[in-house]
Amino acid sequence: MDTILSLKEYAERTDIPEEELTGKSRKQVLAVARFIYWFYLNKSDPVRWSSVKIAEIFGREHPAILHGIKQVKNFIDTNDSIIEPYRKDFIEPFLNREQ
């Protein structure tokens, strides 16, 4: 990807308000959307955001960000259908890339 979507753009594309993406709710639909965005930021070019930087933006500790990214990797590995709405735009572009 050439440009990184801002939180506002991501919120618009996922139909989830920014406040809910940055909030503390643990509802599955919100947590998964949040985790996917963290994964996206962490894997995007030209700048791969660190867990520390993502944590600063979301008002969390960086281990929480690492956990969310790990969850997305687990969803990918198990082919979990919960990530299906995000697969084409926010996951597949990173699957074939060398880590």
Side-chain angles (χ1 to χ4, degrees):
M1 293 191 174
D2 295 334
T3 60
I4 298 174
L5 291 177
S6 69
L7 180 61
K8 179 180 180 179
E9 292 167 325
Y10 180 77
E12 288 171 359
R13 290 192 51 190
T14 60
D15 292 324
I16 298 174
E18 283 181 69
E19 301 78 36
E20 291 187 14
L21 288 169
T22 58
K24 303 291 184 186
S25 173
R26 294 174 65 185
K27 289 182 182 177
Q28 187 177 43
V29 67
L30 299 177
V32 169
R34 192 177 300 129
F35 294 169
I36 296 287
Y37 189 59
W38 297 346
F39 173 85
Y40 166 80
L41 291 175
N42 184 253
K43 302 297 179 193
S44 289
D45 286 330
V47 178
R48 292 184 186 198
W49 293 28
S50 71
S51 60
V52 174
K53 178 148 176 96
I54 297 168
E56 289 173 5
I57 293 167
F58 280 83
R60 290 181 167 72
E61 298 294 324
H62 83 275
I65 305 305
L66 293 174
H67 170 75
I69 292 168
K70 183 178 178 183
Q71 286 296 103
V72 173
K73 290 176 183 177
N74 289 338
F75 294 147
I76 292 166
D77 290 344
T78 61
N79 203 25
D80 196 315
S81 63
I82 196 158
I83 62 171
E84 201 55 42
Y86 308 96
R87 185 174 295 279
K88 182 177 181 245
D89 293 332
F90 302 108
I91 295 172
E92 284 182 2
F94 307 109
L95 292 181
N96 296 324
R97 183 185 301 162
E98 302 238 75
Q99 298 295 330

